[in-house]
Amino acid sequence: MMNIMSIPTTQLDENLEAADLHTDVNTRHNIRTSKVKTLAKLYLDSEPAQIDDRTLAELCEWLWGEFQTTPLNLEFSWYERYQNAAEMFADIKQSHLWVSAENYDTSLDINPIYNFIFYAVHNHDHYLTHSDFSIEGEIATYNATAKRALSLNVQKIIYSENVLKSAAYLFLGHPPISKIVFP
């Protein structure tokens, strides 16, 4: 496994700036960079979690309930990917949301429709919390989503996917190998 500390800081800076176009680059830059590195390391260095069938059933049941209350026309795409939150928010204002295949590549052993719903709910929560794709935006979105998930195990899955995996993406500049981790 690669040592994430070997990635040049300038590359990390570029990745963070590309993900967060609305944040003043001079504000808390070192703290933010350190937070991304720490969270990315948790994701990249952890072994995949063993998730039992009961937890997967809880997750699917919760996701189905969330899907029923999401007021959007969801559309799957192999290629469409939002470059920033403002672009996604413009679509959501029109009651539309693209869900990219790249975004819901998880290692959960569930029907792919639930991965699709997972990321649709996540992106809708970005809109509801007015959160961008920075690490702070991902944490704010996670907090909003986790409040509705009653199971601690489901909350941990959401944290792995929405915060830790996002941190690894920001750090690497590309999607990491998909896994669920409980560090």
Side-chain angles (χ1 to χ4, degrees), residues 49-145:
Q50 297 298 316
I51 303 170
D52 61 36
D53 290 341
R54 182 173 155 215
T55 300
L56 289 175
E58 286 175 11
L59 174 66
C60 292
E61 184 177 324
W62 177 78
L63 284 170
W64 191 252
E66 290 291 306
F67 176 66
Q68 298 297 315
T69 62
T70 302
L72 299 172
N73 175 19
L74 305 175
E75 195 165 350
F76 168 83
S77 174
W78 287 108
Y79 308 107
E80 293 293 327
R81 179 171 167 74
Y82 294 108
Q83 297 304 309
N84 56 57
E87 186 179 283
M88 183 175 70
F89 294 173
D91 267 3
I92 291 174
K93 285 178 184 174
Q94 302 297 316
S95 298
H96 181 264
L97 179 67
W98 287 105
V99 180
S100 170
E102 176 184 311
N103 288 348
Y104 66 92
D105 167 32
T106 69
S107 58
L108 292 172
D109 191 23
I110 57 177
N111 184 314
I113 190 67
Y114 289 104
N115 291 333
F116 176 83
I117 293 169
F118 189 98
Y119 279 93
V121 167
H122 173 72
N123 287 338
H124 188 239
D125 279 345
H126 269 289
Y127 178 75
L128 294 175
T129 60
H130 307 286
S131 301
D132 61 14
F133 299 154
S134 68
I135 196 63
E136 291 82 5
E138 295 298 342
I139 292 169
T141 301
Y142 160 76
N143 287 331
T145 307

Side-chain angles (χ1 to χ4, degrees), residues 16 22-23 25 28-29 31 39 42 50 59 73 83 86 98 108 113-114 126 134 137 161 170 173 178-179:
L16 291 171
H22 302 290
T23 300
V25 296
R28 301 174 57 196
H29 178 74
I31 293 170
L39 294 170
L42 285 173
Q50 297 298 316
L59 174 66
N73 175 19
Q83 297 304 309
W98 287 105
L108 292 172
I113 190 67
Y114 289 104
H126 269 289
S134 68
E161 279 293 293
L170 290 170
S178 188
K179 59 185 175 179

Side-chain angles (χ1 to χ4, degrees), residues 12-25:
L12 175 59
D13 292 342
E14 291 172 14
N15 296 345
L16 291 171
E17 293 311 314
D20 184 7
L21 301 176
H22 302 290
T23 300
D24 179 8
V25 296

Side-chain angles (χ1 to χ4, degrees), residues 1-17:
M1 179 164 279
M2 92 186 304
N3 177 353
I4 65 170
M5 297 309 184
S6 66
I7 296 176
T9 303
T10 55
Q11 179 63 45
L12 175 59
D13 292 342
E14 291 172 14
N15 296 345
L16 291 171
E17 293 311 314

